[in-house]
């Protein structure tokens, strides 16, 4: 059977049946009136080689006209794409994409991408290819000579071109300008240029690429967004990544906190590690899974990059260096450290929480940013978001040690400077006085220095006044974000075991489980299993308070036993308890 696929140009004797794609004649419109295609023709090669997926001429004709094939990486092996791939269930499609089923077929991507994006749920009124042709015709006219600037929302955002030829670069600019014209609500969108550029490699024309981008922008799938479209949303995503890195990459997070003055500023560049940081062959594999799984997959892969970066550097080697520049250099040369298949394997080995949990975390971070004055229409921060610890003064910890502690607490709280509520040197050693000074505030950080000079403490997510809810009884309260830590002699954080090992919650036998109660303040059980006695974890969950957007602790999303009440922190006249006994 004859098959048609995109290929690099060949010598006359190297490709049977090669014919060039039509190129603009002299004086014909090339996109800007000045730029033309390179000297290497884009060809469609008709071969008789067996393939498992029938690609007809109508599915790929014209695709590749924007590509400089001298830069395009050659497929390493023939693609093995099932003929019924588009009818496979979503889980099966995800598995195939993760395994790189169509990674070695340019024609496969050219056919699959538009069809996968057509399955994305989006707003009813979404600009399509016909709208693009109309708007582009009015904006650029014929011949297409235009001095239109790129949209203001791309100010400061890199516009990668990957393997696009001059004609493709012009087409990319036109697409971005039309997006700015038809989506006036976008105020900040650093992912958009790279996404449009990658899709353009596999689009038959500008209009098809524009329609694909529009559907991703207009996606309304619950808890599964694709593109942040404001500085507020983007910064909330950066903070969310920081929270995830704090949980899933503790060694890398500790390294960054020790080398950087501002950890949040480092994590604010997480998306650029992938786009445009990764080389094309890696970026397009990320795109394969991104189209099926949304933003959550970007978190996964960026976390895997961060883990790999930690393995490739030594703490001593980072002293005095620019950690942001080191990370960018690492991703540019990532092929020297890990293959794309291994990177994806490690990314999908990271056990993240559900899309809904991550969405709740993003909402909580957005709320914190809005409390700091960030608005939806704002394009850039009008002040420095991170807390300056240089003026911090304490008899217990140094400013550098406090910066590390501050990097451990959830990002939405670390935006605010610490406020001293109680000190034994000023307020005495009365426990009742401690409660009186701390009530009405949440969260709080407790710092303790022993007579031996050791320093430890805890992050406490709930108001100490909650202890009064049970009357004279010493009741337990708090949330799953509570953790204890040491600063000296060694800096270490110890947190809820289910944050690190959520599979423990699902391992409870059915006979010991119960369905969560719909009551917002009902208590759910916690595991006393010996498996949760790891020395680096707090072992107990807690209820979620009414109205609180607290991630990593929404117990109703876990299946937990009910033998004992949830416990994180407790206070009585005799003392305070944080965590679990033993």
């Amino acid at each position: 059977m004859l098959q048609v696929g995109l290929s690099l140009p060949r010598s006359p004797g190297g490709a049977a049946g090669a014919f060039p794609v039509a190129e603009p004649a002299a004086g014909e419109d090339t996109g800007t009136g000045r730029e033309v295609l390179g000297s290497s023709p884009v060809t469609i090669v008709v071969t008789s080689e067996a393939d498992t997926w029938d690609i007809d001429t109508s599915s790929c004709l014209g695709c590749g006209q924007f590509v400089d094939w001298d830069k395009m990486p050659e497929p390493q092996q023939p693609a093995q794409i099932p003929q019924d791939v588009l009818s496979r269930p979503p889980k099966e499609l995800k598995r195939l994409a993760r395994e790189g089923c169509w990674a070695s077929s340019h024609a496969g991507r050219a056919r699959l991408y538009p069809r996968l994006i057509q399955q994305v749920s989006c707003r009813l009124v979404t600009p399509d290819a016909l709208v693009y042709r109309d708007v582009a015709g009015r904006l650029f006219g014929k011949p297409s000579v235009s001095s239109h600037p790129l949209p203001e929302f791309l100010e400061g955002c890199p516009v990668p071109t990957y393997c696009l030829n001059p004609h493709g670069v012009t087409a990319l600019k036109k697409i971005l300008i039309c997006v700015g014209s038809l989506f006036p609500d976008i105020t900040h969108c650093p992912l958009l240029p790279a996404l449009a550029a990658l899709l353009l490699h596999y689009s038959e024309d500008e209009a098809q690429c524009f329609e694909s981008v529009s559907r991703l922008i207009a996606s309304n799938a619950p808890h599964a967004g694709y593109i942040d479209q404001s500085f507020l949303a983007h910064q909330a995503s950066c903070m969310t990544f920081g929270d995830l890195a704090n949980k899933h990459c503790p060694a890398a997070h500790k390294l960054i906190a020790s080398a950087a003055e501002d950890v949040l500023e480092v994590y604010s560049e997480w998306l650029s590690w992938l786009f445009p940081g990764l080389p094309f062959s890696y970026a397009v594999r990320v795109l394969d899974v991104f189209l099926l799984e949304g933003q959550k997959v970007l978190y996964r892969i960026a976390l895997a990059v961060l883990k790999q970066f930690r393995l490739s550097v030594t703490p001593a080697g980072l002293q005095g260096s620019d950690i942001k520049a080191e990370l960018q250099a690492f991703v540019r040369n990532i092929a020297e450290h890990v293959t794309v298949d291994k990177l994806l394997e490690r990314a999908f080995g990271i056990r993240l929480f559900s899309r809904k949990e991550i969405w709740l975390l993003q909402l909580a971070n957005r709320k914190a940013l809005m409390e700091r004055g960030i608005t939806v229409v704002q394009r850039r921060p009008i002040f420095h978001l991170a807390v300056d610890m240089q003026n911090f003064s304490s008899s217990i910890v140094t400013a550098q040690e406090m910066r590390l502690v501050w990097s451990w607490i959830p990002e939405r709280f670390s935006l605010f400077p610490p406020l001293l509520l109680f000190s034994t040197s000023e307020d005495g050693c009365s426990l009742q006085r401690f409660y009186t000074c701390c009530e009405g505030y949440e969260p709080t950080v407790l710092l303790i220095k022993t007579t031996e000079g050791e320093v430890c403490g805890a992050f406490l997510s709930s108001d100490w006044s909650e202890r009064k809810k049970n009357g004279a009884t010493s009741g337990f309260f708090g949330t799953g974000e509570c953790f204890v830590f040491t600063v000296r002699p060694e800096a270490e954080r110890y947190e809820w075991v289910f944050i690190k090992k959520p599979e423990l919650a699902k391992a409870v036998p059915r006979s010991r489980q119960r369905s969560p109660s719909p009551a917002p303040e009902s208590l759910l059980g916690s595991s006393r299993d010996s498996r949760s006695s790891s020395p680096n974890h707090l072992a107990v969950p807690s209820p979620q308070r009414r109205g609180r957007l607290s991630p990593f602790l929404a117990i109703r999303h876990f299946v937990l036993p009910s033998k004992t009440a949830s416990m994180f922190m407790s206070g009585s006249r005799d003392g305070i308890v944080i965590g679990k006994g033993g």
Side-chain angles (χ1 to χ4, degrees):
M1 178 187 296
L2 288 181
Q3 307 289 327
V4 177
L6 297 180
S7 172
L8 287 167
R10 307 293 188 194
S11 61
F19 56 95
V21 171
E23 294 184 320
E28 189 176 338
D29 173 24
T30 63
T32 64
R34 299 185 298 276
E35 297 180 49
V36 296
L37 290 173
S39 57
S40 300
V42 180
T43 63
I44 292 183
V45 180
V46 182
T47 71
S48 57
E49 297 176 359
D51 197 345
T52 57
W53 186 23
D54 183 18
I55 308 245
D56 59 31
T57 55
S58 63
S59 66
C60 301
L61 190 59
C63 293
Q65 61 174 308
F66 304 112
V67 177
D68 182 344
W69 290 100
D70 290 331
K71 297 179 182 178
M72 197 78 158
E74 286 241 40
Q76 299 298 313
Q77 57 187 7
Q80 300 294 322
I81 306 176
Q83 292 189 14
D84 62 343
V85 64
L86 291 172
S87 62
R88 298 290 181 94
K91 284 188 177 180
E92 180 71 6
L93 268 178
K94 288 180 183 180
R95 182 186 65 79
L96 292 173
R98 291 179 179 189
E99 294 174 353
C101 179
W102 46 86
S104 58
S105 172
H106 298 314
R109 283 194 176 105
R111 184 181 183 187
L112 264 178
Y113 280 179
R115 289 161 173 79
L116 291 177
I117 294 173
Q118 283 297 319
Q119 297 176 10
V120 172
S121 173
C122 62
R123 296 192 294 265
L124 184 62
V125 180
T126 300
D128 58 11
L130 291 176
V131 172
Y132 175 81
R133 293 188 181 99
D134 177 62
V135 173
R138 287 189 284 107
L139 283 177
F140 309 111
K142 290 187 178 182
S144 181
V145 179
S146 172
S147 59
H148 289 276
L150 288 176
E152 189 176 354
F153 66 75
L154 293 179
E155 180 184 352
C157 301
V159 182
T161 57
Y162 295 110
C163 303
L164 295 177
N165 57 29
H167 184 45
V169 173
T170 299
L172 174 62
K173 293 177 181 177
K174 291 169 64 179
I175 291 168
L176 294 175
I177 290 169
C178 287
V179 168
S181 175
L182 291 165
F183 291 91
D185 292 338
I186 299 179
T187 57
H188 186 71
C189 197
L191 176 59
L192 182 61
L195 193 59
L198 289 170
L199 289 172
L200 192 57
H201 288 71
Y202 303 101
S203 299
E204 62 184 28
D205 57 23
E206 298 170 17
Q208 185 188 62
C209 180
F210 171 84
E211 180 171 335
S212 295
V213 170
S214 293
R215 293 189 66 85
L216 296 177
I217 292 173
S219 168
N220 59 4
H223 315 138
Y226 285 90
I227 306 175
D228 292 329
Q229 298 164 41
S230 67
F231 177 77
L232 176 64
H234 172 67
Q235 196 64 29
S237 294
C238 294
M239 292 169 62
T240 300
F241 178 79
D243 284 318
L244 294 173
N246 199 353
K247 304 297 180 185
H248 296 281
C249 308
H253 180 81
K254 186 176 179 180
L255 179 69
I256 291 174
S258 63
E261 291 289 326
D262 185 351
V263 178
L264 178 57
E265 187 178 349
V266 175
Y267 289 144
S268 291
E269 297 188 352
W270 76 277
L271 194 57
S272 68
W273 303 345
L274 308 182
F275 308 113
L278 292 175
F280 177 82
S281 58
Y282 284 66
V284 78
R285 285 291 302 277
V286 176
L287 183 62
D288 288 344
V289 289
F290 172 71
L291 295 180
L292 286 164
E293 302 189 43
Q295 190 180 48
K296 182 179 177 180
V297 81
L298 301 185
Y299 288 134
R300 284 187 181 279
I301 296 170
L303 290 171
V305 167
L306 191 59
K307 283 177 174 284
Q308 191 64 40
F309 172 74
R310 174 63 185 89
L311 295 174
S312 68
V313 299
T314 59
L318 286 179
Q319 293 300 321
S321 63
D322 184 346
I323 187 72
K324 295 193 295 182
E326 293 285 341
L327 275 162
Q328 294 291 354
F330 172 79
V331 293
R332 282 197 302 271
N333 303 299
I334 195 168
E336 300 174 6
H337 304 278
V338 63
T339 65
V340 65
D341 290 309
K342 196 66 178 177
L343 180 68
L344 292 179
E345 179 184 330
R346 291 173 180 172
F348 292 110
I350 298 173
R351 194 179 181 92
L352 288 185
F353 283 81
S354 68
R355 283 190 178 90
K356 185 173 183 179
E357 285 290 329
I358 292 176
W359 175 72
L360 287 172
L361 177 51
Q362 287 177 317
L363 285 182
N365 286 332
R366 283 173 66 107
K367 181 179 178 182
L369 286 167
M370 292 173 73
E371 290 176 0
R372 285 295 309 272
I374 303 298
T375 65
V376 174
V377 298
Q378 191 170 318
R379 289 182 170 83
R380 290 289 187 277
I382 55 179
F383 49 81
H384 195 53
L385 284 173
V387 174
D388 183 8
M389 289 294 179
Q390 291 304 316
N391 299 322
F392 175 80
S393 176
S394 169
S395 60
I396 296 180
V397 292
T398 65
Q400 178 65 27
E401 289 170 336
M402 193 59 180
R403 185 181 297 117
L404 176 61
V405 172
W406 221 241
S407 77
W408 284 335
I409 72 175
E411 292 280 2
R412 64 187 185 279
F413 300 130
S414 68
L415 294 177
F416 302 91
L419 171 67
L420 182 63
L421 299 178
F422 174 87
S423 170
T424 54
S425 61
E426 297 178 8
D427 301 294
C429 297
S430 165
L431 190 57
Q432 184 56 48
R433 177 68 177 165
F434 167 80
Y435 291 139
T436 302
C437 292
C438 296
E439 285 175 2
Y441 294 89
E442 71 172 32
T444 53
V445 174
L446 177 65
L447 293 171
I448 302 171
K449 187 175 183 178
T450 71
T451 55
E452 301 296 326
E454 300 167 325
V455 175
C456 60
F459 171 76
L460 307 169
S461 62
S462 298
D463 189 339
W464 278 106
S465 63
E466 288 194 36
R467 77 189 194 286
K468 300 176 181 178
K469 289 184 177 179
N470 293 323
T473 306
S474 177
F476 284 83
F477 53 99
T479 73
E481 286 181 313
C482 291
F483 61 85
V484 294
F485 58 84
T486 59
V487 176
R488 286 183 233 144
E490 295 293 332
E492 189 61 68
R493 180 184 47 163
Y494 306 85
E495 58 187 340
W496 180 29
V497 66
F498 286 119
I499 289 179
K500 291 291 185 182
K501 299 180 179 180
E503 67 273 13
L504 294 185
K506 298 179 180 179
V508 180
R510 280 286 168 190
S511 60
R512 296 179 56 200
Q513 297 172 359
R514 76 172 186 180
S515 298
S517 168
E521 296 187 12
S522 63
L523 293 179
L524 295 181
S526 63
S527 174
R528 294 291 187 173
D529 196 295
S530 61
R531 290 167 298 184
S532 58
S533 59
S534 167
N536 284 346
H537 302 130
L538 282 176
V540 285
S542 75
Q544 176 154 331
R545 286 181 56 195
R546 183 191 303 270
R548 171 180 292 157
L549 292 173
S550 294
F552 307 124
L553 51 93
I555 307 255
R556 63 182 179 275
H557 299 304
F558 293 96
V559 183
L560 298 173
S562 57
K563 291 293 183 181
T564 57
S566 301
M567 306 175 190
F568 276 108
M569 50 191 287
S570 174
S572 68
R573 290 174 296 180
D574 301 319
I576 63 175
V577 177
I578 303 164
K580 175 186 175 182

